[in-house]
Amino acid sequence: MNRDSHDFEETASNPAGKTPGIDPGGTAPVVSADTVPAGAVRERYGELVDQVQKYRAAYYNDDAPLASDAEFDLLYSELEKLEALHPELVTGDSPTQQVGGDVSVAFAAVDHLARMYSLEDVFSLEELEAWLVRAAGSVEKQGGKAPQWLTELKIDGLAVNLLYRDGVLVRAATRGDGTTGEDVTHNVATIKDIPQRLHGENFPSEVEIRGEVFIGAKDFVALNEAMVAAGKAPYANPRNTAAGSLRQKDAAETAKRPLSMFVHGIGAREGLSTATQSETYELLKSWGMPISPYYKVVDTLPEVMDFIAHYGEHRHDLIHEIDGIVVKVDDLETQRALGHTSRVPRWSVAYKYPPEEVHTKLLDIQVQVGRTGRVTPFGIMEPVKVAGSEVARATLHNQDVVKAKGVLIGDIVVLRKAGDVIPEIVGPVMALREGREDELREFIMPTHCPSCGTELAPAKEGDIDIRCPNTKSCPIQLTERVAHLAGRGGFDIEALGYEAAMALTTGPGPDPAENGGVIAPAGAGVITSEAQVFGLSESYPDASLREELATVMVWREKRSKGQGTGKFELNPYFYTKATAKKPSVPSKTTEKLFKELDKAKSQPLWRVLVALSIRHVGPTASRALATRYGSINAIQEALQAPDAREQLANVDGVGAIIAEALIEWFEVDWHQEIIAAWAEAGVLMADAVDESTPRTLEGLTIVVTGTLPTLSRDEAKEAIITRGGKAAGSVSKNTSYVVAGEAAGSKLDKAESLGIPVLDEEGFLELLANGPATAETEDSDETAGTGEQN
């Protein structure tokens, strides 16, 4: 079935004697594609395309199916056969070239209705036991009984958020940064496990269902066998293959990959009445959602440990790869009471199994220079498979770590993947050094930048890390910054990846054939500052920089019958290669780059801040700054205030270290040149104000503590921020109000000692609606508790 592998609600039965393929609206019956007269082929093809498109639109977009699955499949099959016989008819808008409804294949940024969180990780059974005891204590402190624990496998896959409206899948997004993800609706529609329409009728009008997309262990083996049989390199591991498959630009390619999904939670859930996580799983199952067969509700800590031990022994016998066990409080009301930190839920934890370890040879230790100038040593090893993927490089952090580990170049080393994710050199295998001493040599940290030759030094006295201080002109730092500003956390410019950033910022080095086969960049490129990037945008009036891309050349290895020859030639990177019949012109990717740069100019302020490569300023701090100030100009004005450090440090999510980094960054003249150049090119430097929500809390700082009757801590903070207020985490003399619920503790005490108005939830809602003029102060003991919920 081409639309949905699950039940499809038909709008009409099939009366006895009715010919399959007859549209209730009166279209012609299905006929065999190979019997269509030649003169009628094009006409029949047009009829089929229109009819299938109509059925798709009715099914996916209008929630009003016009045909049964059998009728649709017959029409679709005829269309496929007709296209196979007459491929000249096939166009990009054919239904066979599309998957799902009328949605874009571009990965637009979309906001989740409810935030997606990470999980707190623990790496030993002792840490897990301490977490469980602490969580149970928090529950009992709030008057609850000892919790039941839902234990389940931690799938090594890609987190996806499915949004259903009135039972129909309308959007699928990756987790992204938790608030904003990538729209992968078109690709998710190809996964047979995921219903396009929920079963039954007892679902909310709008619900977010979360889960993991993965490739099963047996499917992965079969996929790699097929790759090898086709003469292609096998994929490294199931998780990365699943993630890459889901991010294919062509959904037809995604459809070829054996993707599966298990769901494990619900985000936005208004109107849902389940009492426990396990009950929710059974409800999801009744809706046709795929749930994991590997979960169990237990009562005691020893039972949790038994579950972990069992799957630790059988982790390679499962449907999918795992990297640990997740333990959740089963009761949903208790989950709500425990709440979240800024990053993780307080009611769930992930226990990571001890990582797999292997031995391999450390061939060399080299250094890399990051976008902020930090110089980091990394090990180059004989490639080895560990924890399901092939590893040839591993970070060594800094020169002190290299010394502390005692590794020498040439050593046989123990390699592991910490948390089954990050390759880590544990140390040398000392017993294997004997008789090989002459082959070993000590790593010596370079004194000068390998990219620009500038002398390296710590940024500040006492710093362990050393940096290249030539931040403006160091070619590799510029490459890293341009790649960073184009990344998913920055402007999200798809056509500007790392290779393109390097081609823009550096020139081709020596012939790799004379350089040991190594392609090494050298010198400056056509862009000597990230300030110039938007000069490439399609609407930029001066086309000279775009035209200059025709001169950008890169080394490419010549190939013969699919194999490298060891010989290299210079080819244009951004333009096509000229021939006797065709001149060199911008490639399709380059044309896309010009257009995408124009689209990037409209990105929100927080992405602009991330793209500026200010040290320590990532998405969280950028969002906080954008929410608080709203524009680059407002941030710069705040930096001129006598108490700028204190003001910035008090912004929730910023703090003293980031405040200092901001001040230092904005004091640099060439940094100001970047801002000015981007603004001149049309980059928005301010967020539009949402006029639909009244700014009743403008200028107010509010602290929420304890458990409110109906609002979660996150909901209360979001309400404050969207109304122009600051949601602070600690009480000070600058606090305007404290909102206190049950189990409020030291924050409430401090507010009372400072004479700060204290509100219960009712007073808080009044404050949100009308501002401080009508909010009532709540001083009664009803808001006080014996403990604090932080």
Side-chain angles (χ1 to χ4, degrees):
M1 192 160 56
N2 293 299
R3 290 176 292 186
D4 183 8
S5 60
H6 295 270
D7 292 344
F8 181 76
E9 185 179 351
E10 299 179 5
T11 57
S13 60
N14 186 19
K18 177 181 176 182
T19 304
I22 297 289
D23 184 351
T27 55
V30 172
V31 295
S32 175
D34 52 6
T35 63
V36 178
V41 168
R42 190 170 297 277
E43 181 180 355
R44 180 57 182 164
Y45 180 78
E47 290 175 356
L48 285 169
V49 168
D50 290 345
Q51 196 166 1
V52 172
Q53 291 282 34
K54 180 176 70 172
Y55 284 174
R56 278 183 176 276
Y59 180 79
Y60 287 112
N61 305 333
D62 301 336
D63 193 22
L66 298 175
S68 70
D69 286 341
E71 290 173 319
F72 180 88
D73 287 348
L74 282 170
L75 289 168
Y76 194 92
S77 177
E78 183 191 354
L79 180 62
E80 287 183 315
K81 290 177 181 177
L82 200 59
E83 289 183 344
L85 290 169
H86 302 278
E88 71 277 6
L89 297 176
V90 183
T91 62
D93 60 358
S94 166
T96 64
Q97 305 303 304
Q98 304 167 3
V99 180
D102 185 20
V103 293
S104 171
V105 298
F107 295 145
V110 292
D111 292 337
H112 307 306
L113 301 186
R115 183 175 175 185
M116 297 181 72
Y117 288 84
S118 299
L119 287 175
E120 180 178 352
D121 294 332
V122 296
F123 296 90
S124 71
L125 295 177
E126 291 76 13
E127 285 180 284
L128 176 63
E129 182 174 355
W131 188 95
L132 293 169
V133 169
R134 188 168 62 250
S138 296
V139 173
E140 292 169 2
K141 190 175 182 180
Q142 296 179 27
K145 60 180 181 180
Q148 287 188 305
W149 307 105
L150 184 144
T151 51
E152 61 187 0
L153 305 188
K154 188 173 185 299
I155 303 169
D156 196 12
L158 182 72
V160 170
N161 188 31
L162 307 174
L163 175 60
Y164 286 84
R165 290 198 180 107
D166 296 322
V168 176
L169 179 64
V170 296
R171 191 172 75 205
T174 60
R175 178 169 61 187
D177 65 0
T179 301
T180 303
E182 300 162 293
D183 188 338
V184 289
T185 311
H186 210 53
N187 291 356
V188 164
T190 71
I191 302 175
K192 294 179 180 179
D193 295 346
I194 301 173
Q196 301 299 311
R197 176 187 299 278
L198 298 179
H199 298 183
E201 298 178 352
N202 59 334
F203 40 77
S205 60
E206 192 171 68
V207 62
E208 283 182 318
I209 300 174
R210 277 84 187 265
E212 296 283 321
V213 170
F214 63 91
I215 294 179
K218 291 182 179 178
D219 288 335
F220 184 72
V221 171
L223 179 63
N224 268 348
E225 287 175 350
M227 293 292 289
V228 171
K232 299 178 181 179
Y235 295 107
N237 60 73
R239 195 271 168 199
N240 288 350
T241 307
S245 299
L246 201 60
R247 292 193 174 107
Q248 292 290 314
K249 287 302 180 184
D250 183 355
E253 288 301 315
T254 302
K256 297 176 184 177
R257 311 289 174 84
L259 296 177
S260 300
M261 183 176 186
F262 284 153
V263 299
H264 53 57
I266 291 182
R269 56 188 300 136
E270 185 176 353
L272 198 64
S273 58
T274 52
T276 64
Q277 187 88 14
S278 52
E279 184 183 339
T280 302
Y281 282 6
E282 293 306 310
L283 179 61
L284 289 170
K285 185 177 181 180
S286 74
W287 292 348
M289 300 303 301
I291 66 168
S292 172
Y294 310 117
Y295 80 89
K296 184 178 182 181
V297 178
V298 300
D299 296 309
T300 66
L301 192 150
E303 287 176 290
V304 173
M305 298 301 180
D306 287 345
F307 186 91
I308 289 171
H310 173 79
Y311 285 106
E313 295 173 1
H314 299 281
R315 62 182 299 185
H316 298 298
D317 305 328
L318 307 172
I319 294 172
H320 50 71
E321 295 287 338
I322 64 171
D323 56 359
I325 298 293
V326 176
V327 184
K328 301 175 180 177
V329 172
D330 193 38
D331 182 76
L332 296 181
E333 190 60 36
T334 305
Q335 288 186 11
R336 183 183 182 86
L338 290 173
H340 302 75
T341 69
S342 62
R343 190 180 63 86
V344 299
R346 292 190 175 93
W347 43 266
S348 184
V349 68
Y351 166 77
K352 294 294 193 74
Y353 285 114
E356 298 180 38
E357 294 185 348
V358 297
H359 290 183
T360 188
K361 187 175 183 179
L362 180 63
L363 301 175
D364 198 4
I365 298 176
Q366 298 181 4
V367 297
Q368 57 191 11
V369 184
R371 61 188 170 88
T372 61
R374 182 187 177 201
V375 180
T376 306
F378 64 93
I380 299 175
M381 299 155 297
E382 288 183 347
V384 62
K385 194 166 186 178
V386 54
S389 60
E390 189 173 88
V391 174
R393 291 167 51 132
T395 182
L396 284 161
H397 303 291
N398 57 58
Q399 65 273 25
D400 287 358
V401 170
V402 178
K403 185 177 293 185
K405 289 181 181 291
V407 293
L408 300 175
I409 297 168
D411 262 330
I412 305 300
V413 296
V414 178
L415 178 73
R416 71 178 179 189
K417 293 181 80 176
D420 280 0
V421 175
I422 304 169
E424 176 188 5
I425 295 174
V426 180
V429 183
M430 298 299 293
L432 297 179
R433 277 186 177 174
E434 188 174 350
R436 301 179 57 250
E437 290 82 1
D438 292 345
E439 302 175 25
L440 308 179
R441 59 189 173 89
E442 187 178 353
F443 167 70
I444 299 174
M445 193 72 175
T447 57
H448 291 75
C449 176
S451 177
C452 66
T454 303
E455 187 173 359
L456 304 175
K460 295 179 181 177
E461 187 177 349
D463 280 0
I464 296 175
D465 294 330
I466 61 172
R467 297 178 182 273
C468 171
N470 183 23
T471 52
K472 180 180 181 181
S473 304
C474 179
I476 193 61
Q477 288 187 60
L478 176 58
T479 299
E480 295 282 346
R481 291 198 301 270
V482 170
H484 172 75
L485 73 85
R488 289 195 177 103
F491 284 112
D492 195 18
I493 305 167
E494 181 191 329
L496 184 50
Y498 191 86
E499 187 180 41
M502 181 168 286
L504 282 172
T505 56
T506 61
D511 186 340
E514 300 173 2
N515 192 36
V518 177
I519 298 177
V526 297
I527 284 180
T528 56
S529 168
E530 57 265 52
Q532 299 170 277
V533 167
F534 287 97
L536 293 169
S537 61
E538 189 174 51
S539 65
Y540 197 76
D542 182 358
S544 59
L545 191 59
R546 293 193 294 274
E547 294 168 355
E548 197 173 344
L549 294 187
T551 67
V552 175
M553 308 294 284
V554 294
W555 288 106
R556 300 291 191 204
E557 186 175 11
K558 293 181 179 180
R559 304 187 74 80
S560 176
K561 297 181 180 180
Q563 301 296 317
T565 63
K567 297 179 180 179
F568 295 80
E569 62 180 352
L570 284 170
N571 287 323
Y573 185 87
F574 293 101
Y575 273 56
T576 61
K577 196 172 183 180
T579 66
K581 295 183 178 180
K582 292 183 179 180
S584 180
V585 296
S587 68
K588 289 183 179 179
T589 302
T590 302
E591 294 283 6
K592 185 176 183 180
L593 171 62
F594 299 158
K595 290 180 171 63
E596 290 232 335
L597 282 164
D598 267 325
K599 288 198 306 184
K601 294 176 187 179
S602 300
Q603 290 284 26
L605 176 62
W606 73 267
R607 288 185 175 273
V608 178
L609 293 171
V610 171
L612 289 172
S613 283
I614 305 169
R615 191 178 174 194
H616 304 305
V617 179
T620 299
S622 293
R623 285 183 185 276
L625 290 163
T627 299
R628 172 64 181 84
Y629 295 104
S631 72
I632 286 285
N633 286 341
I635 292 173
Q636 291 183 301
E637 288 175 10
L639 291 169
Q640 302 306 313
D643 60 345
R645 282 176 174 79
E646 183 180 351
Q647 278 193 40
L648 288 165
N650 283 331
V651 173
D652 198 28
V654 177
I657 292 175
I658 294 176
E660 187 67 31
L662 281 163
I663 291 169
E664 290 179 357
W665 193 92
F666 277 92
E667 286 176 344
V668 177
D669 290 343
W670 66 270
H671 290 165
Q672 293 290 342
E673 292 171 5
I674 297 171
I675 293 173
W678 287 2
E680 183 181 353
V683 176
L684 294 182
M685 295 291 183
D687 286 336
V689 178
D690 183 1
E691 302 293 349
S692 64
T693 301
R695 307 282 285 182
T696 52
L697 306 186
E698 200 76 58
L700 300 182
T701 299
I702 300 170
V703 174
V704 180
T705 183
T707 303
L708 301 177
T710 65
L711 291 173
S712 70
R713 189 81 63 84
D714 291 330
E715 289 168 340
K717 287 184 176 181
E718 184 68 22
I720 293 166
I721 293 169
T722 56
R723 287 162 178 79
K726 171 191 171 184
S730 58
V731 178
S732 72
K733 62 182 181 180
N734 297 319
T735 303
S736 307
Y737 292 91
V738 169
V739 179
E742 291 185 11
S746 61
K747 292 177 184 177
L748 175 61
D749 294 339
K750 187 170 183 180
E752 291 172 340
S753 69
L754 293 173
I756 294 169
V758 178
L759 306 177
D760 61 7
E761 186 177 282
E762 184 179 352
F764 177 52
L765 294 175
E766 180 70 24
L767 179 69
L768 294 176
N770 302 307
T774 57
E776 295 183 2
T777 303
E778 175 59 66
D779 290 323
S780 73
D781 291 337
E782 293 177 7
T783 60
T786 56
E788 181 176 8
Q789 176 74 17
N790 288 313

